[in-house]
Amino acid sequence: MTRTTWLRGGSLACAALLVVLVSPSSFSQDPTVIRVTAERFTFTPSHIKVKRGTIVELRLRSEDTNHGFRIVGSGFNAIIPKRGRGEATLIFRADTPGRYTFECSKMCGAGHTFMRGTITVGE
Ligand code: CUA
């Protein structure tokens, strides 16, 4: 059911979207996979904590309609495909300690603006 398509500057019109900010082969460690589910109007989990230096692979999927996933201030913004249409994947290195807000970036209904959460990068 879930297909992962590598995205190399090609079309976004595929069932699943994989965004790689840094090529995984350049990492010396395996990514820590964190699965996040979007469903009107929450992300689960909505608070994510990782240690500094962790390579994080976020796998984003929806239990209903299309949602968006934007990490405020990062320039990262993806569409989470609707249920059954795959997932969006984001790989990044959690280099800078702090608390980062993510939010739904696609209008999905009355509670759209409440769909948010945080990623905390600890020392
Ligand atoms: Cu989910 Cu907007």
Side-chain angles (χ1 to χ4, degrees):
M1 183 165 97
T2 298
R3 287 196 303 136
T4 298
T5 303
W6 290 86
L7 181 70
R8 295 192 196 280
S11 167
L12 296 184
C14 44
L17 173 65
L18 182 76
V19 175
V20 182
L21 295 185
V22 183
S23 168
S25 60
S26 69
F27 296 138
S28 57
Q29 55 174 280
D30 288 334
T32 297
V33 175
I34 300 172
R35 292 167 204 279
V36 178
T37 301
E39 188 170 15
R40 294 190 183 97
F41 293 101
T42 55
F43 289 105
T44 307
S46 58
H47 298 289
I48 295 165
K49 267 190 175 174
V50 296
K51 277 189 190 159
R52 179 184 199 170
T54 305
I55 308 298
V56 179
E57 180 173 328
L58 290 183
R59 296 198 186 160
L60 312 164
R61 61 170 54 233
S62 172
E63 283 298 326
D64 44 36
T65 187
N66 289 329
H67 294 277
F69 189 92
R70 171 165 56 214
I71 300 179
V72 177
S74 75
F76 178 78
N77 188 12
I79 295 296
I80 304 175
K82 58 173 72 165
R83 181 187 168 100
R85 300 285 178 84
E87 60 191 4
T89 301
L90 167 65
I91 301 178
F92 61 95
R93 187 196 306 269
D95 268 342
T96 310
R99 179 187 265 206
Y100 304 86
T101 298
F102 61 82
E103 62 186 13
C104 183
S105 56
K106 178 156 194 346
M107 176 49 76
C108 55
H112 163 73
T113 55
F114 301 112
M115 284 191 74
R116 22 180 60 222
T118 58
I119 300 171
T120 302
V121 179
E123 285 291 353

